[in-house]
């Protein structure tokens, strides 16, 4: 296995086409949307590469959450109707045995949350929000990072 790069902003210099995490929507978003969204200022995508090929990525963008979606009344108290948030819109790790059990997903998630925090210090953001693709992804974010479910939306999660 070649050395992996630290997460870096996506660029035309990396190979997006070989990426496969086993989830078609995650694969296709990287291949078809990530670069154009980056160029248009719609999202910021960070990639981890091995020999110039993307093996993991995530994207962040600005977002807002409706106060009433937060399940805890105490957490809603004093909040405006629309709460500024950071959306962790895409997240994928290649479905390759070389990366299984090596902590790449957790490490990349920590990087994403650190970047979200940095951004919140510049342009206020009260929380990180994500839409878990399935129960396995939901379990990952809840178990390892403390995300919680928003009201009446089983796969929409938030972290204050």
């Amino acid at each position: 296995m070649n050395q992996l790069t630290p997460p870096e902003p996506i660029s035309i210099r990396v190979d997006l086409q070989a990426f496969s995490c086993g989830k078609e929507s995650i694969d296709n978003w990287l291949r078809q949307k990530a670069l154009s969204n980056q160029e248009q200022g719609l999202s910021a995508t960070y990639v981890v590469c091995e020999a110039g090929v993307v093996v993991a990525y995530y994207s962040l963008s600005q977002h807002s959450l409706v106060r009433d979606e937060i399940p805890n009344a105490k957490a809603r108290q004093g909040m405006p109707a629309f709460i500024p948030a950071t959306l962790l819109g895409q997240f994928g790790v290649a479905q390759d045995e070389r990366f299984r059990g090596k902590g790449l997903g957790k490490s990349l998630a920590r990087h994403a949350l650190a970047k979200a925090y940095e951004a919140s210090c510049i342009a206020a953001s009260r929380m990180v929000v994500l839409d878990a693709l399935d129960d396995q992804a939901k379990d990952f974010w809840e178990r390892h990072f403390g995300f919680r479910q928003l009201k009446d939306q089983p796969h929409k999660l938030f972290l204050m």
Side-chain angles (χ1 to χ4, degrees):
M1 178 165 67
N2 291 318
Q3 188 163 345
L4 300 179
T5 65
E8 61 188 10
I10 194 171
S11 73
I12 60 171
R13 297 185 315 271
V14 299
D15 178 3
L16 308 175
Q17 300 309 312
F19 181 82
S20 176
C21 72
K23 305 288 184 184
E24 191 174 340
S25 63
I26 302 293
D27 296 346
N28 288 340
W29 190 89
L30 176 67
R31 294 179 192 137
Q32 299 167 8
K33 299 284 187 186
L35 274 170
S36 64
N37 279 15
Q38 182 99 355
E39 291 167 358
Q40 295 174 44
L42 299 173
S43 61
T45 300
Y46 289 82
V47 296
V48 173
C49 297
E50 179 186 50
V53 177
V54 174
V55 298
Y57 83 97
Y58 70 86
S59 71
L60 297 174
S61 59
Q62 304 246 339
H63 188 67
S64 67
L65 191 65
V66 176
R67 176 185 54 225
D68 293 340
E69 290 180 288
I70 298 175
N72 183 319
K74 186 176 180 180
R76 288 191 307 262
Q77 188 174 6
M79 291 287 148
F82 295 95
I83 303 167
T86 300
L87 177 66
L88 178 53
Q90 300 292 324
F91 186 91
V93 176
Q95 188 178 25
D96 185 317
E97 287 303 316
R98 295 175 302 148
F99 308 123
R100 295 263 179 239
K102 306 278 196 243
L104 180 56
K106 289 179 196 167
S107 176
L108 188 63
R110 282 191 292 275
H111 189 273
L113 295 174
K115 285 292 185 188
Y117 175 75
E118 286 177 30
S120 76
C121 293
I122 297 166
S125 175
R126 185 76 171 116
M127 64 189 67
V128 176
V129 178
L130 62 86
D131 287 298
L133 194 59
D134 53 30
D135 288 339
Q136 181 181 1
K138 178 182 178 188
D139 180 61
F140 171 82
W141 292 105
E142 288 176 334
R143 187 165 28 99
H144 295 291
F145 298 99
F147 275 78
R148 297 181 306 185
Q149 178 183 323
L150 287 168
K151 190 190 298 185
D152 302 323
Q153 300 180 65
H155 287 103
K156 192 166 188 175
L157 307 176
F158 75 102
L159 179 67
M160 297 295 267

